[in-house]
Amino acid sequence: QVQLVESGGGLVQTGGSLRLSCAASGRTLDVYAIGWFRQAPGKGRESVGCIQSSRDATYYQDAVKGRFTISRDRARNTVYLQLNSLKPEDTAVYYCTTVHFKPRCTAIGSWGQGTQVTVAS
């Protein structure tokens, strides 16, 4: 099972941007579909979106569509989540894990520590 580490979170103002990274060591991410999830205080974990393993097709939940972008850098063995036009309701701990691309980014891997994103109003 591949181990993933999230990084890049922080405190940002409403409307700001962040780029989160999901890196693996020891194994290539190329063969995995990778999903991003988030958990806000007092709420359950929800899917943000995911990227396919082969053609790099992506899927996003409606709340982030047009604002967030998932991409893959094969040379760096890293998957990114670009967060733009951030809103206070985007405040959460963000996680990445391996997924089944269909249906709708079903998580199948383990969870790491995540990275905190806080959007100030």
Side-chain angles (χ1 to χ4, degrees):
Q1 195 172 24
V2 63
Q3 297 298 315
L4 305 176
V5 178
E6 307 92 343
S7 63
L11 173 63
V12 64
Q13 297 295 313
T14 296
S17 298
L18 284 172
R19 189 177 75 163
L20 308 184
S21 299
C22 174
S25 58
R27 299 184 69 173
T28 179
L29 286 182
D30 286 2
V31 299
Y32 297 100
I34 301 296
W36 283 95
F37 297 78
R38 65 185 181 183
Q39 186 166 18
K43 296 187 177 181
R45 186 147 37 200
E46 63 173 356
S47 172
V48 172
C50 59
I51 186 166
Q52 202 177 35
S53 60
S54 54
R55 291 174 293 172
D56 287 351
T58 52
Y59 169 84
Y60 302 95
Q61 65 139 297
D62 288 345
V64 307
K65 204 172 292 184
R67 301 189 297 122
F68 292 6
T69 303
I70 299 173
S71 62
R72 185 191 295 271
D73 186 333
R74 298 181 188 279
R76 296 181 184 273
N77 204 30
T78 300
V79 171
Y80 298 103
L81 176 64
Q82 178 69 41
L83 298 82
N84 296 329
S85 303
L86 282 162
K87 305 174 181 180
E89 53 263 43
D90 295 318
T91 295
V93 179
Y94 284 70
Y95 303 87
C96 63
T97 191
T98 53
V99 300
H100 286 308
F101 187 72
K102 294 180 179 180
R104 297 188 179 184
C105 317
T106 304
I108 57 174
S110 59
W111 300 104
Q113 296 297 311
T115 186
Q116 175 71 48
V117 172
T118 303
V119 185
S121 57

